[in-house]
Amino acid sequence: MENQTRISIDASHKKSTISPHIYGHFAEHLGRCIYDGIWVGPDSSIPNTEGIRTDIVEALRRINIPVLRWPGGCFADEYHWKDGVGSLSERRAMINKSWGKVVENNGFGTHEFLRLCELIGCEPYIVGNVGSGTVLEMQEWLEYMTADADAPMPNWRRQNGREEPWKVRFFGVGNENWGCGGNMRPEYYADEYRRYQTYARNHGEGNLYRIACGASDFDYKWTEVMMERAAKYMDGLSLHYYTLAGDWKNKGSATDFSEDEWFITLKKALRMEELVQKHGEIMDRYDPEKRVGLIVDEWGTWYDVEPGTNPHFLFQQNSLRDALVAGVTLNIFNQHSDRVYMANLAQTVNVLQALILTEGDKFLLTPTYHVFDLYKAHQGAALLETIIEQAATYGNGNDRLPQVSLSASEDDQGRINITLCNLDNRATAKVGLALKGLVKGGKVSGSTLAAKDMHAHNTFSNPDTLRPVALAGLAISDGELNVELAPMSVTLLTIE
Ligand code: AHR
């Protein structure tokens, strides 16, 4: 059949391990992500644990988020951590110049963030300040958090109520230093990176993973310069890429968009493949063993803010289209997990492509959240080889995209998980999966996230418009599994 996609999956051919950290997230002091989102304060009537909203913690635990990046973003290069420790009355307020010039009272600081990570059960990824901070300030932050000595910084931490050092493995040396982090040239930042990272010392278990600021989008020169001049001093190099339906002036609406915008958004999201490939090729030349991880620590959709909301707060709704963007992007990361070690969707609550939206005590899970719930099956699993033997396409005239995106892995229980997206907003995708090397019998189950309306999204009054439902009637026959994927859907199939 011509309009069918045929894929072979070889369970005996395991490629790389899918790092759980690919399923990471990002929370910045921006709009209502931290304040009025994650942090409601201990005196709030909204149920909380030491000021941290309980429903958010529970939801993030359910999807096993492995790592959370903080405090920015652009905010990181303005943030002075010493203002955010000690009793609230001692904390010095500041103006959040990156995001609307609102007054930041520093009520949520190092202790609160690391407590949040403990409650979620995830690793912290802390970004230090290169743009407006000093080497000493960065050095002392790591000492404060991770050193056990009888010395000024650890003793200050103890005075502030935390006896044991925290485990902080992931540490970013600046953010977007080509832009909001200091407008540096790559040659200059490479030298600054080398200097700052020298004093970003290991105090804990000796496994500090230093992440250098990487490129924006298609800036391959930045990657080239960083790898040439500083590769041996880094463990990870970042990359930022946002998917816009329009351009930076008119980014498009999150919920009111045309079929063309649906297509364009997905076409742009699929460019992550090219980015990972090309930045990866440059990294390969300097690091053929793939020691340095590609850390896509900001990605996701970026639309115009919801009408009537503060333009600096980046609050947007989240529809079925966002679910598809998440699904295809995570498939790309899985397929490139030999190089992509971590990725962090921007941003967890109430900002950009959020997992969760809140308003007062109201709370909802977005379609993007449900995609992370389906895909968590891949965390730490072995990527399986998938060969597209025949690819159906969809689109207008010559402007065409593959109808289906997928990745497959085998977990430590021998279960095979296959995640599939049908990008087509009109047609069902007919997919034939030829399964080779199956060890287990072949009981198949599935869940799918879909809707008839491309604009479908969850609201506080209808929070479950979009959520995964079970797929029935799945069976393997003669090593073949034939499935029909609804238009605009994200599906998980599990074979055990
Ligand atoms: O995620 C919003 C902003 O996008 C971040 O602060 C910055 O790093 C990027 O430009």
Side-chain angles (χ1 to χ4, degrees), residues 35-306:
Y35 302 107
D36 204 19
I38 292 168
W39 177 255
V40 288
D43 301 329
S44 172
S45 58
I46 298 171
N48 68 81
T49 310
E50 297 155 48
I52 298 167
R53 207 170 152 145
T54 309
D55 47 10
I56 291 181
V57 169
E58 284 170 356
L60 297 179
R61 284 184 75 86
R62 280 200 297 277
I63 56 168
N64 296 344
I65 86 162
V67 60
L68 187 60
R69 179 176 187 252
W70 175 87
C74 293
F75 183 77
D77 283 277
E78 305 208 52
Y79 182 61
H80 299 285
W81 69 270
K82 290 182 184 175
D83 296 341
V85 297
S87 68
L88 192 55
S89 59
E90 284 171 75
R91 297 193 191 185
R92 187 164 163 265
M94 65 179 279
I95 297 173
N96 186 337
K97 287 156 291 280
S98 299
W99 304 114
K101 299 201 173 119
V102 293
V103 175
E104 156 73 59
N105 74 355
N106 272 310
F108 188 91
T110 304
H111 289 249
E112 291 75 20
F113 172 66
L114 290 167
R115 180 72 182 126
L116 168 67
C117 292
E118 282 175 347
L119 292 172
I120 298 170
C122 73
E123 285 195 72
Y125 166 13
I126 292 204
V127 184
N129 179 344
V130 170
S132 70
T134 64
V135 171
L136 178 64
E137 186 180 357
M138 188 182 284
Q139 181 185 34
E140 288 186 333
W141 199 5
L142 278 163
E143 264 177 47
Y144 183 93
M145 293 186 288
T146 60
D148 203 13
D150 179 10
M153 288 300 121
N155 286 340
W156 190 21
R157 178 192 73 229
R158 291 183 185 103
Q159 263 172 36
N160 289 335
R162 172 79 186 196
E163 183 59 37
E164 293 296 310
W166 287 283
K167 290 192 168 93
V168 177
R169 187 155 67 104
F170 298 113
F171 194 77
V173 180
N175 168 75
E176 295 197 350
N177 301 94
W178 37 261
C180 61
N183 285 306
M184 301 176 195
R185 295 169 306 116
E187 295 81 3
Y188 180 79
Y189 173 71
D191 282 346
E192 284 293 83
Y193 173 77
R194 288 168 58 138
R195 186 165 75 103
Y196 274 73
Q197 70 77 37
T198 305
Y199 305 97
R201 307 251 194 232
N202 255 306
H203 296 281
E205 293 169 342
N207 60 354
L208 193 69
Y209 187 103
R210 297 174 181 85
I211 299 169
C213 161
S216 167
D217 311 345
F218 304 92
D219 182 357
Y220 297 113
K221 182 182 171 198
W222 185 279
T223 300
E224 183 82 44
V225 172
M226 286 304 295
M227 290 303 289
E228 187 191 355
R229 299 185 180 211
K232 72 174 179 184
Y233 302 103
M234 64 176 81
D235 301 292
L237 180 62
S238 75
L239 169 68
H240 289 183
Y241 178 62
Y242 285 99
T243 300
L244 283 67
D247 55 29
W248 282 106
K249 267 200 170 150
N250 294 299
K251 297 184 268 306
S253 159
T255 50
D256 183 10
F257 53 86
S258 63
E259 281 189 63
D260 278 354
E261 284 174 287
W262 169 279
F263 180 86
I264 289 163
T265 307
L266 291 178
K267 186 175 174 180
K268 289 186 176 176
L270 286 171
R271 293 199 77 184
M272 186 63 91
E273 170 81 35
E274 172 190 345
L275 286 166
V276 167
Q277 182 86 30
K278 291 195 176 157
H279 286 287
E281 279 166 16
I282 297 168
M283 293 174 82
D284 284 349
R285 277 197 273 111
Y286 297 92
D287 174 36
E289 289 80 34
K290 300 186 193 288
R291 185 190 62 79
V292 179
L294 183 58
I295 309 293
V296 190
D297 52 16
E298 289 188 28
W299 69 274
T301 54
W302 192 323
Y303 308 119
D304 293 333
V305 295
E306 289 303 309

Side-chain angles (χ1 to χ4, degrees), residues 3-25:
N3 66 342
Q4 200 187 18
T5 295
R6 295 197 48 75
I7 300 161
S8 73
I9 301 179
D10 187 352
S12 64
H13 190 166
K14 302 195 172 53
K15 296 171 91 184
S16 37
T17 299
I18 298 174
S19 162
H21 299 95
I22 285 177
Y23 292 85
H25 293 275

Side-chain angles (χ1 to χ4, degrees), residues 377 380-382 410-417 439-440 494-496:
E410 185 177 313
D411 70 14
D412 57 5
Q413 307 294 307
R415 282 182 297 244
I416 293 178
N417 289 297
V439 178
K440 291 218 167 173
T494 302
I495 304 172
E496 51 192 324

